[in-house]
Amino acid sequence: MSDDLLLTFRSPPLPFFVESNRLTYQAGEEHPNRTNLGVFDMLFVNEGTLFVAEEDYKWELRPGDVLILRPDRWHYSYRPCSERTVFDWVHFQTVGAWEETEEHQHSSIRGDYYTYAIRVPKRMKLKYPDEARQIFSQLHEAAKSSSHGAFWDRQQRFLHLLQMLDEGWRSDAAKAAVSVAERAAAYLKLNYRAAVSNSMLSEVLELHTNYITRCMTEVFGCTPQQYLLYYRLDQAKLLLIKTDWTIARVAEETGFRQTPHFSRLFAAHTGMPPLKFRKRFTT
């Protein structure tokens, strides 16, 4: 179904604003046909009805509806407007990884402890259209100015808009796996120096261990204990570079109780033992 499509962006880098405007079509007018526009085209209908298609997918957009068209597809109007129609459009782009999938499919783009997977439905009806309308108006105003301050203003307002779409999608109970995985990840990152077991995580989140594991595997591609290990090892890398602590202290500070065990895991993860890793970055 065309309404089940989901766009995922890995961030950073963050998608960035290019240009925007508000248009009014009278009855009989229609959205222009475009092929390989090169930027994402976000449409938000204020009043009336917009009839838009992308390749074989067709949408009838009504007030409060948002649709994001891909930069690499043909999109067009499959029917002229039947009434006065007012809508906002925003062109944006990303230099990072992105993909479009069906909602029931597993995305190959996942966040980890340093990156974030922004997920927005291709089409959705906003719960707070008045707030969105105000953000679009502010975006259009900032887009008219070429000042340094206006650049930051429009980028920040565009990211606020993306955040609204991302959180609006995540508030759906059917998307609970993402919420569970991120709650588990946040707890693991906060307590990585301690011995965190699956049962402890289950008790804190008040969820079954198997469900937490399934959610983290779906979202991050690893189990809670694997996530914890990878995060500890990355923290160890930072300490090896930034401090002159002994290997034993680095191991202890990152939650490893035995130095030889830490050294073996570190070497398996990075391809070299901790001391050799440190010498690569120190003189």
Side-chain angles (χ1 to χ4, degrees), residues 45-59:
V45 176
N46 288 275
E47 63 176 272
T49 306
L50 202 58
F51 303 94
V52 180
E54 181 183 80
E55 301 290 353
D56 296 329
Y57 293 122
K58 294 182 179 180
W59 296 274

Side-chain angles (χ1 to χ4, degrees), residues 221-233:
C222 59
T223 67
Q225 291 304 314
Q226 288 172 328
Y227 185 98
L228 180 60
L229 173 62
Y230 299 152
Y231 188 74
R232 283 173 170 169
L233 290 172

